[in-house]
């Protein structure tokens, strides 16, 4: 149960932290809110099942390993020894998993940081559950299992409520702000927007647009070449998915797909999906000053 509670709380933190960031595709409105709540409830159920599996495959073996170390070394079985066992096991797993990731071509900032990050994540994830399992299985304290179970349930619900309250307070007070796409006027669109790799869109005040070297994509997401054409553009209101405006380009067949406006008011962008938006990446152009 402890692992399940950790997962749900971590998911809630991830949702709260995601709100100030730019996100795309079907967001906005009550539908997105109810969808998020449903996803959290579903995650709670899945986490409970996964937590039971995790307890059997990871947590209980760590408890038994700690007790075996205590017997072999003549030490007293204590929570400190259990915590040290978790740390050693987490370091070993981090070394194994991190090495596999690097061999598989992991390309991230500071490759060597993958080891301490993985080790710390495993310790944070496994330590509370392992300590709870140790306390629940203490043969010298009858009824410890039910007391620990109740404590985990109440503590998990309490921590979840506190996390939610802190998150809501942060947004209500204005400390954090939910991301909103920039509200650009037609005049704001005039100018050159580039992809940083030679492709550009030049929007004119008279409604014409010139594309030079702009990437064009098939419906499958594969790039079909680049577009060099002249067409027309316009902005229309688009409140259906939480975005104030939608950009459309006509008379350029390869660029006729729906375009979106993102970024911030200071650094706006225009983008289109290079395939289906539920799993594809965005092709982004940034306005040049």
């Amino acid at each position: 149960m402890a692992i399940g509670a950790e997962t749900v709380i971590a998911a809630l933190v991830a949702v709260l932290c995601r709100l100030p960031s730019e996100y795309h595709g079907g967001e906005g409105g009550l539908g997105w809110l109810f969808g998020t709540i449903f996803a959290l409830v579903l995650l709670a159920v899945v986490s409970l099942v996964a937590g039971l599996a995790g307890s059997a495959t990871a947590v209980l073996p760590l408890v038994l390993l700690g007790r075996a170390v205590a017997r072999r070394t003549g030490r007293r079985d204590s929570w400190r020894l259990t915590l040290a066992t978790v740390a050693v096991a987490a370091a070993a797993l981090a070394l194994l998993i991190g090495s596999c990731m690097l061999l598989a071509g992991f390309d991230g900032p500071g490759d060597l940081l993958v080891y301490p990050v993985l080790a710390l994540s495993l310790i944070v994830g496994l330590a509370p559950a392992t300590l709870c399992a140790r306390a629940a299985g203490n043969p010298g304290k009858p009824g410890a299992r039910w007391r620990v179970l109740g404590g985990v349930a109440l503590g998990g619900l309490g921590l979840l409520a506190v996390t939610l309250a802190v998150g809501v307070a942060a947004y209500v007070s204005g400390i954090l702000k939910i991301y909103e796409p920039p509200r650009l006027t037609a005049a704001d669109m005039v100018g050159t927007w580039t992809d940083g790799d030679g492709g550009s869109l030049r929007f004119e005040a008279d409604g014409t647009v010139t594309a030079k070297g702009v990437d064009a994509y098939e419906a499958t997401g594969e790039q079909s070449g680049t577009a060099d054409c002249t067409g027309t553009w316009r902005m229309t209101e688009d409140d259906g998915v939480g975005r104030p405006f939608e950009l459309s380009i006509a008379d350029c067949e390869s660029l006729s797909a729906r375009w979106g406006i993102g970024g911030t008011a200071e650094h706006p962008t225009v983008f289109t999906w290079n395939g289906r938006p539920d799993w594809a990446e965005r092709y982004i152009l940034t306005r040049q000053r």
Side-chain angles (χ1 to χ4, degrees):
M1 179 175 285
I3 292 179
E6 290 178 44
T7 303
V8 174
I9 293 171
L12 177 59
V13 171
V15 170
L16 292 172
C17 291
R18 180 175 179 261
L19 293 178
S21 305
E22 183 176 357
Y23 47 89
H24 301 277
E27 73 280 1
L30 291 176
W32 183 86
L33 176 61
F34 287 129
T36 301
I37 294 174
F38 174 77
L40 286 174
V41 173
L42 180 62
L43 179 63
V45 176
V46 174
S47 297
L48 181 60
V49 177
L52 294 174
S55 295
T57 58
V59 174
L60 291 180
L62 285 174
V63 173
L64 296 176
L65 179 60
R67 289 174 177 169
V69 171
R71 289 194 300 270
R72 288 298 185 103
T73 60
R75 297 174 180 270
R76 184 173 65 88
D77 180 22
S78 65
W79 67 267
R80 295 180 183 84
L81 183 59
T82 301
L83 193 59
T85 303
V86 172
V88 172
L93 284 173
L95 183 61
L96 175 62
I97 298 172
S99 298
C100 292
M101 290 173 62
L102 294 179
L103 290 174
F106 172 77
D107 186 17
D111 290 346
L112 293 181
L113 287 177
V114 69
Y115 294 111
V117 169
L118 279 173
L120 183 59
S121 300
L122 288 169
I123 291 173
V124 171
L126 291 173
T130 304
L131 292 174
C132 288
R134 176 188 173 278
N138 191 334
K141 295 183 178 181
R145 177 177 303 177
W146 298 110
R147 287 194 295 271
V148 171
L149 183 62
V152 170
L154 292 176
L157 289 174
L159 188 56
L160 183 66
V162 170
T163 303
L164 181 60
V166 171
V168 171
Y171 284 103
V172 171
S173 64
I175 297 176
L176 296 177
K177 294 184 178 180
I178 298 176
Y179 170 76
E180 293 184 4
R183 292 182 173 272
L184 304 182
T185 64
D188 294 324
M189 294 296 301
V190 174
T192 301
W193 302 65
T194 65
D195 62 5
D197 195 29
S200 66
L201 287 171
R202 174 72 186 180
F203 295 97
E204 304 291 352
D206 61 1
T208 60
V209 58
T210 302
K212 292 183 179 180
V214 176
D215 290 352
Y217 294 91
E218 301 286 352
T220 58
E222 296 181 1
Q223 185 174 350
S224 59
T226 57
D228 294 275
C229 60
T230 300
T232 59
W233 67 276
R234 67 170 182 155
M235 294 174 63
T236 56
E237 293 188 4
D238 183 26
D239 294 329
V241 292
R243 299 197 162 274
F245 297 106
E246 177 183 291
L247 171 68
S248 59
I249 297 176
D251 303 323
C252 287
E253 184 177 352
S254 56
L255 304 180
S256 60
R258 187 179 71 177
W259 288 75
I261 297 174
T264 63
E266 295 78 17
H267 303 285
T269 62
V270 295
F271 67 90
T272 188
W273 297 100
N274 58 0
R276 293 184 59 181
D278 50 354
W279 63 65
E281 295 181 352
R282 293 180 299 143
Y283 174 55
I284 303 172
L285 295 95
T286 305
R287 185 174 63 186
Q288 302 300 295
R289 293 291 185 182

